[in-house]
Amino acid sequence: MALGELERAVMEVLWAAPAARTARDVQDALAERDLATTTVLTVLGRLERKGLVARERDGRAHRYHAAGTREDHIAALMRDALDGAPDRGAVLARFLGAMPPDEQAALRDLLR
């Protein structure tokens, strides 16, 4: 599932964090955007409903962490794109044809 710009920015904060973060931590990490705490909480709630974020109670607050890795998310996006294609083979052929030779070789190695 594709993410909006703000959702992606919040996920980048969570993916980069070594541990779960509070909404305030996320807000501070995105200080250049001048976001209200309620906005950050709304985005975190949306991401939680999408299954991308999990939260845990920490006293009166919650701490949030990514439910999966960035690579998990990107792989899911690729699967979604392929699932929407009427001719998966053609899409895969174009995707592979656009890859540099070293990435093609790495993919061949992974498939072995």
Side-chain angles (χ1 to χ4, degrees):
M1 93 196 42
L3 299 176
E5 179 191 353
L6 187 51
E7 289 175 325
R8 193 170 31 257
V10 169
M11 287 306 302
E12 289 297 336
V13 170
L14 296 178
W15 281 322
R21 314 302 288 169
T22 65
R24 180 64 182 196
D25 294 334
V26 174
Q27 182 181 13
D28 290 346
L30 299 172
E32 75 282 353
R33 292 176 177 257
D34 196 28
L35 301 170
T37 304
T38 54
T39 301
V40 174
L41 286 167
T42 297
V43 172
L44 286 165
R46 239 184 296 154
L47 291 167
E48 184 180 16
R49 284 188 297 282
K50 290 180 177 184
L52 296 172
V53 168
R55 70 178 172 164
E56 55 198 44
R57 175 87 63 193
D58 184 13
R60 291 179 37 198
H62 286 99
R63 292 194 172 273
Y64 299 85
H65 60 90
T69 65
R70 179 184 291 109
E71 293 76 15
D72 292 334
H73 176 67
I74 293 169
L77 290 174
M78 293 169 72
R79 280 190 306 275
D80 286 348
L82 281 174
D83 288 346
D87 185 350
R88 289 174 73 113
V91 172
L92 284 170
R94 289 195 183 195
F95 178 72
L96 294 172
M99 292 174 85
D102 60 321
E103 290 179 5
Q104 289 179 8
L107 183 58
R108 273 193 295 278
D109 290 343
L110 286 171
L111 290 172
R112 281 190 212 130

